[in-house]
Structures are given as structure tokens and as C-alpha cells.
Amino acid sequence: MVSKRSQRYALTLFGTKVTNNLAATDGGGIFDNGGTVVLNTATGTVVVKNRPNNCAGVPGCPS
């Protein structure tokens, strides 16, 4: 039997632009599926103009 460990990932964005992306469901810009996403807006990180929305499951992300 092969067992799989549950892995959680973390992503921190510094000075990053996530723009003009398109997805079929939520999270056109960033979709967090149980990991940790940190948007460091102090360094110029922006998440805008993504469809159907900018983020799903990301605290502090604009709609």
C-alpha cells in the first residue's frame, strides 16, 4: 500500500502583477485550494482584471 502525505503549500507574492487571466470557475487570478497565499501589497503586488473574479480562498484579495 502506498500512502500519500497531505501537503500544504505556501505562496508569497512580492512585487508581482496577476492580471487579465480567465478561468471557467472561481479564482481567475489566484485559486487557493487549502494552502497559504500572502499578497504583499506593500511591495507592489496587485491582483486585478481577472475573470470571473480575482481570487478564491485568498484573504485580503480584492473581488
Side-chain angles (χ1 to χ4, degrees), residues 10-47:
L11 172 68
T12 303
L13 300 176
F14 294 95
T16 305
K17 294 179 182 176
V18 180
T19 60
N20 298 310
N21 295 289
L22 175 64
T25 59
D26 279 347
I30 300 172
F31 182 83
D32 180 9
N33 191 22
T36 302
V37 177
V38 177
L39 302 176
N40 191 329
T41 55
T43 63
T45 295
V46 293
V47 182

